Structure formats: structure tokens, C-alpha cells
Amino acid sequence: MKATAMSNFEIVAREDFSNVTYLLEVRHPLMAKAAKPGQFVIVMLHENGERIPLTIADFDRKQGTITLVIQAVGKTTRQMQQECQVGASLFAMVGPMGTPSPISHAKKVLCVGGGLGVAPIFPQARAFKESGAYVIAVLGFRNKDLVFWEDKFRASCDELILCTNDGSAGMKGMITDGIKVALAQHPDIEEVVAIGPPVMMKACADATRPYKIKTMVSVNPIMVDGTGMCGGCRVKVGDQVKFACVDGPDFDGHLVDFDDLMLRLQRYTKDEKAAHERWSDSCRMTTQGGSSTLAG
Ligand SMILES: Cc1cc2nc3c(=O)[nH]c(=O)nc-3n(C[C@H](O)[C@H](O)[C@H](O)COP(=O)(O)OP(=O)(O)OC[C@H]3O[C@@H](n4cnc5c(N)ncnc54)[C@H](O)[C@@H]3O)c2cc1C
Ligand code: FES
């Protein structure tokens, strides 16, 4: 069943940052009122669709909207990319979920976002700024075509270091090169927050470990219920096992077992590929069916 524009979760704005990354602004006044940095929602596109967790990348309490920034990586995120146009609605959206990011009283903070991780780091950067911290952002992308929200960060942070792998925008280098520059210029950074793919967050935690700077990361294990009941989102943090959906998703990056996290994320690759192929086939058949009707 397709959700109608009359439901509560109407898409009121959309922006495509690239051919894989898109932003949706969804109307939900109560969620916008309650949302805090670091929290996420669980979304269903259709009644029988998969439940997928997505970070609340921004919220506007006055307009009553929340912002999601999504990367089309598999069946559901590609289907959303195709179907979530302005005026359409999501079938369900539950949240805000997870423990809000702890916004400490650190005086100087480095916020690091890699690729899609640039979106979820934004509410934290803004919250640190509002709490009186000097905020430096390091944003990393593969190339200039993938850059988004540069202006938004410039407006909310004290300094911005933009890095691209190929040097097409900002400094040439990996995100860890940007971190090195920031640490050299600001030896008094008290806290680092890093969000991005697990391999990137691992590299960020390794970069700050020798300096013993508190480093928080936001982990993204497979989530099912999002309520701490199924155990799907288990993460090893030091000698403890945590459930990212209720205990996190933010944890001490120096304690997270990233290798275990990456291994667990690959567990369902075969099923995910099969689901995507089934959906692509059904899209092809619909298109072909549609054209033959027109031709006839
Ligand atoms: C707390 C949290 C916040 C997230 N925030 C965002 C966000 O803001 N934007 C965004 O684009 N993505 C976000 N993700 C990842 C997003 O949930 C997955 O990309 C999405 O579920 C993939 O579904 P798919 O059907 O398109 O692809 P699939 O082909 O089903 O999966 C592709 C990959 O996505 C991951 N994945 C699949 N299912 C899940 C699941 N149920 N839970 C978590 N990861 C899954 C796996 O690594 C998998 O290999 C977040 C994940 C978590 C846990
Ligand atoms: S998603 Fe089930 S316990 Fe976290």
C-alpha cells in the first residue's frame, strides 16, 4: 500500500546532492520538538517494507520538520530515492530513538564527518557551538562533486577544514590528514567526535589515541527492532557488550571493536544483494509492461 500525502510523514522538501545521496525533509512536528543531536528514526517506506534506521541530520522545531540525508546503497534506500518525491509520504517513522549525543562542556571540539557522516555530525557541531565551545569541523569527501553542506558548516562552526581524496576541493588528502592539520594548529582540542563509515571512524580513533583526546564515534550496526530486544545491534565496547540502539549509537571510539562491527555488517550481504536484484527485476518488468501497453 502506498502511503498518501495525507499521512503524518509527508515529504515537504527534497534535495539531491549527487546521484547517490539525497536529502528529505519530512513533516513531523512532535518528532522535531523532541529530537536531540545523535538520535535516529526507524523508517518504513511501505506497509510491507523493511524498517531502516536513519539519523536525524537536522530538525526545525518551528517548521515542525526533520531532515534525513540518505545514501542509496541497497534495495530500500534506492527505492526511496525513486519514490520519495515532494508530496509523497513515508508509511511509518518511529523515533526519536537512541541516547542523545552527550554534549560535554569541552572548550574546543573537533567534529569530523566523512562522506555521508557529514550529515549526522551537523547537529552535534551546532550543539557544541551553542554550548559555547570553539568548534572546528573536518569534512572529508572522495571528490568535489560529492561535497554538501559546506555553507551550513561554515555558518555554524568557527573553522572548517575540507578534504577531498583527489584534491578537487579543499586540501588534498584523507580525513585523517585533516585531523592532523587541526591537531597541529590546535593542541588544546579537548574532544573529537567522528562519524562516517566504520573504517574511517577506526582511523580517526587511531589518529587521536596517541594524544589521549576523548574521541566519540557513532556506530551503525544492523538494527532490527531498535528497542534493545533483538540483540541485532550488539557492539563490543571495551570489555562490555552494548546495544547501539538503546545504549548508543555514540560510544568511546578508543574502546569500540571496529573489526567486529565491520564483520557483523557483512553478515547479510548475500540476502541484501538478492533483495536488491528482485526489486530491480520487478522495476524492469513494470517499465517494460508500461511501455508495451503504451506501444499497444
Ligand atoms: C543508527 C543508524 C543510523 C543510520 N543513519 C543513516 C543515515 O542517516 N543515512 C543513511 O543513508 N544510512 C544510515 N544508516 C544506514 C542505513 O540504515 C542502511 O544503509 C540501510 O538500512 C540500507 O538498507 P538497503 O535496503 O538500502 O540496503 P541493504 O542492501 O539492505 O544494505 C546495505 C548495507 O546497509 C547496512 N544495513 C542494511 N540493513 C540495515 C539495518 N536494518 N540497520 C542498519 N544497517 C543496515 C548493511 O551494512 C548493509 O550491508 C544508519 C544506520 C544506523 C544503524
Ligand atoms: S536493534 Fe534490536 S537490540 Fe538494537
Side-chain angles (χ1 to χ4, degrees), residues 36-38 56-59 101-104 106-113 117-139 149 152-160 191-195 250:
K36 298 214 170 65
I56 301 173
D58 203 359
F59 43 84
S101 305
I103 304 300
S104 70
K107 291 193 188 70
K108 199 175 263 191
V109 180
L110 182 61
C111 292
V112 184
V118 164
I121 201 84
F122 176 75
Q124 295 207 44
R126 182 175 56 192
F128 275 113
K129 186 73 198 141
E130 284 168 0
S131 82
Y134 186 89
V135 179
I136 305 145
V138 173
L139 308 183
W149 280 9
K152 207 165 152 107
F153 276 86
R154 285 202 191 280
S156 305
C157 300
D158 296 285
E159 281 181 48
L160 171 65
E191 185 169 339
V192 176
V193 186
I195 308 185
D250 292 4

Side-chain angles (χ1 to χ4, degrees), residues 20-22 38-41 50-57 67-80 116 119-120 218-224 233 244-245 248-249 262 264-269 271-273 275-276:
V20 285
T21 311
Y22 55 100
Q39 290 189 298
F40 63 95
V41 288
E50 194 190 3
R51 297 153 50 87
I52 65 161
L54 297 168
T55 306
I56 301 173
T67 301
L68 308 172
V69 178
I70 306 164
Q71 195 159 31
V73 291
K75 189 219 161 206
T76 302
T77 47
R78 287 204 170 105
Q79 195 173 4
M80 286 176 70
L116 191 76
S218 177
V219 297
N220 56 344
I222 302 255
M223 290 187 180
V224 184
C233 66
C245 66
M262 288 187 265
R264 288 177 63 83
L265 277 168
Q266 289 161 14
R267 268 181 149 187
Y268 303 102
T269 310
D271 301 308
E272 288 157 1
K273 200 164 163 251
H276 183 246

Side-chain angles (χ1 to χ4, degrees), residues 224-246:
V224 184
D225 64 333
T227 62
M229 304 286 280
C230 71
C233 66
R234 274 198 309 279
V235 189
K236 290 187 195 162
V237 183
D239 56 6
Q240 294 184 310
V241 171
K242 299 279 189 186
F243 291 161
C245 66
V246 285

Side-chain angles (χ1 to χ4, degrees), residues 75 78 274-286:
K75 189 219 161 206
R78 287 204 170 105
H276 183 246
E277 276 166 9
R278 274 198 305 277
W279 173 71
S280 301
D281 285 350
S282 71
C283 288
R284 255 195 305 277
M285 279 162 68
T286 312

